[in-house]
Structure formats: C-alpha cells, structure tokens
Amino acid sequence: RAWKESDLDNTNSVDLTDLTRLSLHLLGDAVLSGNALKAADVNGDNTVDIADLAHFKQYISKDNVVLGK
C-alpha cells in the first residue's frame, strides 16, 4: 500500500494517533524516520517542527486547512 500523505503511522487515516506521534517526536520521546518523517512535514517546508504540529492540530480539529505540499 502506498504511504498516504500526512499519515504518520500508515493506517490510511490521518487522525489523533498521527498528531500524538508528531508531538512525541517533537518532545524527543519518540523518533520518526523514513516515510513517517516525510509525512510529518505537513506544511512542506522540509522541516518538522512546531508549525507542523499546529497545522496538524487545526486539521484534526476540522478547521478549514489542507495538509501536504
């Protein structure tokens, strides 16, 4: 199965679990790598940081945002 954009755990769904994984990565309590790390860059600036977390939270909260590049 192809990796879905912004789906950090490759479950074919972008949800709270993905947001949690990104949060843990940013806190240093977990490490994202490979496709998961690429998927975590939801704003497409080639850096995974707090801006991605904020954007991801807006998406999960059903705000009118689009994830991805």
Side-chain angles (χ1 to χ4, degrees):
R1 161 174 83 191
W3 202 280
K4 183 177 178 181
E5 194 170 282
S6 307
D7 179 14
L8 278 58
D9 57 2
N10 199 25
T11 60
N12 207 33
S13 174
V14 178
D15 56 23
L16 189 57
T17 302
D18 299 300
L19 179 67
T20 301
R21 290 191 71 198
L22 177 53
S23 297
L24 291 172
H25 173 79
L26 292 174
L27 289 170
D29 292 337
V31 176
L32 295 175
S33 61
N35 288 332
L37 187 60
K38 291 176 189 174
D41 180 21
V42 297
N43 64 4
D45 67 355
N46 295 316
T47 303
V48 177
D49 57 18
I50 193 73
D52 296 298
L53 182 66
H55 199 78
F56 213 116
K57 182 184 175 295
Q58 287 178 311
Y59 177 81
I60 297 295
S61 299
K62 306 285 189 223
D63 287 348
N64 191 22
V65 299
V66 176
L67 295 179
K69 285 89 183 152

